[in-house]
Structure formats: C-alpha cells, structure tokens
C-alpha cells in the first residue's frame, strides 16, 4: 500500500508541474513598462544652431611711431580710456633738437632765396640794357629755382621733425579699455614696438562655425539670435555679415561672421549660442526625440494600441525632420493625436505587449505631523526634578 501511495503522489506532482509549464508558455513574457505621449501638432521653427566665439572689431596693438626712451606711463592694464587720451610719453629731447636744426635750415634757405630774387632782378635789368648777356641772366634764374627747391625740401623735413615730436605722446585711437600694458618707464622702444593692447567692446564680431551641410541654407542678411551666459534670458539679434568662402581645415566647419552692437553686456573672447531661422511651419507633427528609435527598417516610432483589453506596440516607420528643443518633426508615418511610446521605446519590438506607467501622484508634503493622520503625537518625557 505504501508503494501505491508513493506512485500516486509522484504522478500528482508531475501533472501539476506540467500544468504550470503550460500556463507559463501561454502567458508569455511580462509586458514592458513604458510611458506614453501623444503626437501633437503646432507651430515649429526650423533652425541651425551652433556655439560661437566673440571678438572685438576694434582691438589694435598701439605701437611706437618714433624711437626713444619711455619717460612717463599714464595708462595701465584695465584702465578705461577715451579717444585722444594720452597713454605714455617718450623722451622727445633728441627729436626736438633735430626739429630745431631743420627749422634753422629752412630760415637759412629762405634768406638765400630772398637774396637770389634780388640778384635775378638786377641781372635781368642789366641784360635788358645790354650790359651782360642773356645767358648770364638765365644762369642766375636757374640758381634761384634750385634754392627754391632746396627750401621746399627743408620745409618738408622740418614738418616731419615737428610731427615726430608730436608722436612722442602716445594717445588712444578710440574709446576702449587697456587690455595689456607692454612697457614700463625707462624702456627704450623702437619704431613699431607694441606698447599697449587696446580693446573696445562697443562693436563685437561673432565667429559661428556651421557644418558643411548647412551651407546651402545660409546667406548674408539672415537674422541670427544670440544668447550668452553673461546675460541669461537676454536675446541679441544681428544679421549675417559675411560667410567665409572656404571650409576650415582643422574643424571642417563653415565660418559665418556676425557683427553686433554691444550695450556693455557681452565681452570679447566670450561664447554665444547662435540660432539662425531657416524656415517656420504653422502646423507640424512633433514627438519627443526619445520616442524615435533606430531599427534595421529605419527610424521607428511605436504606437500604442489597445485590443481585447491588451495593449501592444505597433511599429511605425517614420520620416523625421528637424529637431528643436527636445522635439523632432515627423514628416510622414504618424497622425495627430496618436499615442506613442516615450520612456522605454528603445526596448520595444513590433507587437510587444506593454504596460503603461501612470504618472506619479503628488505625495504628501514632508513634515506633516502624526496628529494630522489621526495618530496622537507622543508626549515628551518629563524630566525628574532635582531634589
């Protein structure tokens, strides 16, 4: 009897195990948990976006126009200066002496020219009376013309000398800020040596690198919207001033130039986010970017459909357009209002069973007392009194 009972129990266990396996095969894999969204229609702007850098349009290196020793330094790095303001003074002693010498030469030649004028007049009178030949009178006139030319050259040299004396005072060519000071009092400078780096942020130039593929959609005069970390929430508008004709070898990018007037907010050397509007559509179908996944068939969006109380994912091959603000335009493959998979779309396959995760409800605020939930708060223990 015991053996019969053992065989009966084994048979029961085997039958129950087979039943469980059959149930598992029928149920299949558990549904994939996802979140969903709807295909929406609305205004959509197609833009080309990039990150650019700013530089000052006016940022000259102020150099020495005459040689000499720096006598005084009137400006320093970081100092704002106005146009024509003195920045440094070079010792002008040698130049002033040279200028005085040229002025003296001018006066000497002026005296010689005046004397030659009187001589020419006398010689012409004598030639008219026949006392001297006409050739002798002509020679005197030629000497007078030579002295006049010498006087013109001397006056030019004197003007250059006087101008050189004026160049010993280094002045700012325009309003700006001294970015760097390259000299110190006592330094000897030669013609062309840099003395100061002057930067003006009143007018800035933005270099915007765009990919080669954007070249056909960009042209001069297009409006560019610029934003900067220096001015959060503020938008600067400018227009494309120039597009470089060649592609940069290092970055393989197209250099687009934009110039803008600055109100003092932006700084040379800073970065800007640039956006060029290529086109605008009043009604475009859009979905979040994470809803579009790449499959062997191409770009795919999974539409969530419900039949017989069971939700499944249906693969829709779509034609995607431009991206903007985390959304992507759908040119074909979907209709407005359809429900599509959002989070978890990358784990789906065509016909997969899905379970939609409901959005979380607002939880109770932290710090609510226990009495608010119907539970009395514990009373603090009384401290024993000192005897």
């Amino acid at each position: 009897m015991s053996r019969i009972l053992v065989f009966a129990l084994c048979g029961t266990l085997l039958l129950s195990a087979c039943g469980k396996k059959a149930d598992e095969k029928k149920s299949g894999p558990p549904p994939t948990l996802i979140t969903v969204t709807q295909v929406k229609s609305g205004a959509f702007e197609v833009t080309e976006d990039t990150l650019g850098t700013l530089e000052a349009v006016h940022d000259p290196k102020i150099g020495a126009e005459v040689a000499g020793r720096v006598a005084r330094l009137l400006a320093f790095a970081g100092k704002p200066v106005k146009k024509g303001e003195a920045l440094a003074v070079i010792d002008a002693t040698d130049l002033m002496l040279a200028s005085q010498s040229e002025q003296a030469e001018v006066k000497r030649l002026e005296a010689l020219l005046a004397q030659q004028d009187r001589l020419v007049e006398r010689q012409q009178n004598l030639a008219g009376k026949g006392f001297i030949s006409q050739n002798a009178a002509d020679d005197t006139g030629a000497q007078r013309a030579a002295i006049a030319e010498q006087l013109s050259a001397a006056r030019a040299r004197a003007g250059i000398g006087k101008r050189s004396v004026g160049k010993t005072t280094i002045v700012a060519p325009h309003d700006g800020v001294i970015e760097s000071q390259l000299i110190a009092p006592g330094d000897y400078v030669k013609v062309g040596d840099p003395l100061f780096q002057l930067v003006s942020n009143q007018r800035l130039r933005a270099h915007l690198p765009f990919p080669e593929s954007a070249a056909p959609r960009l042209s001069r005069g297009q409006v560019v919207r610029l934003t900067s970390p220096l001015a959060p929430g503020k938008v600067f508008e400018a227009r494309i001033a120039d597009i470089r004709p060649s592609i940069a070898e290092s970055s393989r990018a197209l250099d687009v130039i934009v110039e803008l007037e600055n109100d003092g907010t932006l700084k040379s050397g800073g970065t800007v986010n640039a956006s060029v509007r290529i086109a605008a559509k009043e009604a475009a179908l859009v979905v979040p970017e994470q809803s579009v996944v790449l499959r062997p068939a191409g770009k795919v969006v999974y539409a969530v459909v419900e039949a017989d109380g069971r939700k499944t994912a249906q693969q829709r091959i779509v034609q995607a357009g431009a991206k903007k603000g985390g959304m992507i335009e759908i040119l074909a493959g979907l209709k407005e209002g359809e429900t599509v998979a959002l989070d978890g779309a990358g784990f789906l396959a065509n016909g997969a069973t899905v379970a939609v995760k409901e959005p979380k409800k607002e939880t109770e605020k932290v710090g609510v007392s226990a009495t608010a939930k119907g539970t009395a708060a514990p009373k603090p223990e009384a401290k024993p009194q000192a005897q």
Side-chain angles (χ1 to χ4, degrees):
M1 288 295 292
S2 61
R3 290 181 180 179
I4 295 172
L5 290 173
V6 170
F7 285 130
L9 289 172
C10 290
T12 303
L13 291 173
L14 287 172
L15 288 173
S16 63
C18 292
K20 287 182 180 178
K21 288 182 179 179
D23 292 340
E24 288 178 0
K25 288 181 180 179
K26 289 181 182 179
S27 63
T32 304
L33 187 62
I34 62 170
T35 61
V36 295
T37 186
Q38 279 71 41
V39 181
K40 297 178 181 179
S41 175
F44 190 77
E45 193 175 66
V46 181
T47 62
E48 286 287 348
D49 302 325
T50 188
L51 178 68
T53 57
L54 293 172
E55 68 175 12
V57 175
H58 305 295
D59 59 344
K61 282 187 177 179
I62 303 173
E65 297 185 68
V66 294
R69 195 169 302 281
V70 178
R72 286 187 297 164
L73 194 63
L74 306 175
F76 49 86
K79 179 183 178 182
V81 295
K82 296 293 184 181
K83 181 179 179 180
E85 183 177 343
L87 307 179
V89 177
I90 297 174
D91 186 10
T93 303
D94 293 342
L95 293 174
M96 290 180 66
L97 292 174
S99 179
Q100 291 174 4
S101 176
E102 296 296 340
Q103 292 290 344
E105 179 66 11
V106 168
K107 291 180 180 179
R108 186 184 72 83
L109 290 172
E110 287 176 346
L112 286 177
L113 184 61
Q115 182 184 3
Q116 194 67 23
D117 286 338
R118 293 190 294 269
L119 181 58
V120 167
E121 185 179 358
R122 286 195 300 268
Q123 291 290 75
Q124 290 295 336
N125 290 334
L126 292 174
K129 294 178 180 180
F131 291 105
I132 60 173
S133 66
Q134 187 62 41
N135 287 337
D138 291 342
D139 288 342
T140 306
Q143 292 175 9
R144 190 262 177 204
I147 294 173
E149 292 298 326
Q150 292 176 12
L151 178 60
S152 297
R155 284 173 175 169
R157 289 193 297 272
I160 293 174
K162 187 177 180 181
R163 182 178 172 85
S164 296
V165 172
K167 289 179 180 179
T168 57
T169 301
I170 311 301
V171 298
H174 56 74
D175 296 351
V177 179
I178 301 296
E179 183 177 16
S180 57
Q181 167 196 326
L182 307 175
I183 55 169
D187 288 347
Y188 184 86
V189 295
K190 302 184 294 296
V191 177
D193 285 353
L195 309 179
F196 299 95
Q197 176 76 49
L198 180 64
V199 174
S200 173
N201 286 323
Q202 291 181 351
R203 188 167 182 81
L204 298 176
R205 181 187 294 116
H207 288 269
L208 309 177
F210 284 96
E212 296 177 68
S213 58
R217 299 187 292 275
L218 299 174
S219 61
R220 293 181 182 179
Q222 281 182 302
V223 176
V224 183
R225 287 175 293 187
L226 305 170
T227 58
S228 170
L230 295 174
K234 189 172 183 179
V235 179
F236 300 85
E237 285 198 357
R239 293 184 180 273
I240 295 178
D242 190 18
I243 300 176
R244 293 289 186 261
S246 59
I247 304 297
E249 294 183 3
S250 58
S251 61
R252 311 307 303 170
L254 184 69
D255 190 14
V256 175
I257 307 299
V258 173
E259 293 188 0
L260 66 152
E261 297 293 336
N262 184 24
D263 58 0
T265 305
L266 304 178
K267 303 294 182 183
S268 174
T271 59
V272 286
N273 293 300
S275 178
V276 182
R277 189 173 74 170
I278 305 301
K281 298 181 179 180
E282 294 183 359
L285 297 179
V286 294
V287 296
E289 288 186 42
Q290 60 264 41
S291 292
V292 182
V293 295
L294 192 60
R295 292 290 185 263
K299 292 182 179 180
V300 168
V301 173
Y302 289 99
V304 178
V305 296
E306 185 173 357
D308 299 330
R310 183 166 167 265
K311 294 181 179 180
T312 58
Q314 290 186 356
Q315 178 176 291
R316 303 283 180 85
I317 300 174
V318 297
Q319 182 181 352
K323 299 177 182 179
K324 182 69 175 178
M327 306 297 287
I328 185 169
E329 182 186 10
I330 301 299
L331 303 177
L334 289 175
K335 295 180 180 179
E336 183 181 358
E338 285 190 286
T339 301
V340 296
L342 184 61
D343 295 322
F347 302 100
L348 297 178
N350 188 31
T353 304
V354 297
V356 178
K357 182 180 179 181
E358 298 297 334
K360 291 183 179 180
K361 297 181 180 180
E362 294 184 1
T363 58
E364 296 179 354
K365 295 182 180 180
V366 178
V368 177
S369 63
T371 55
K373 298 181 181 180
T375 305
K379 296 181 181 180
E381 295 180 0
K383 295 182 179 180
Q385 296 180 356
Q387 295 179 356

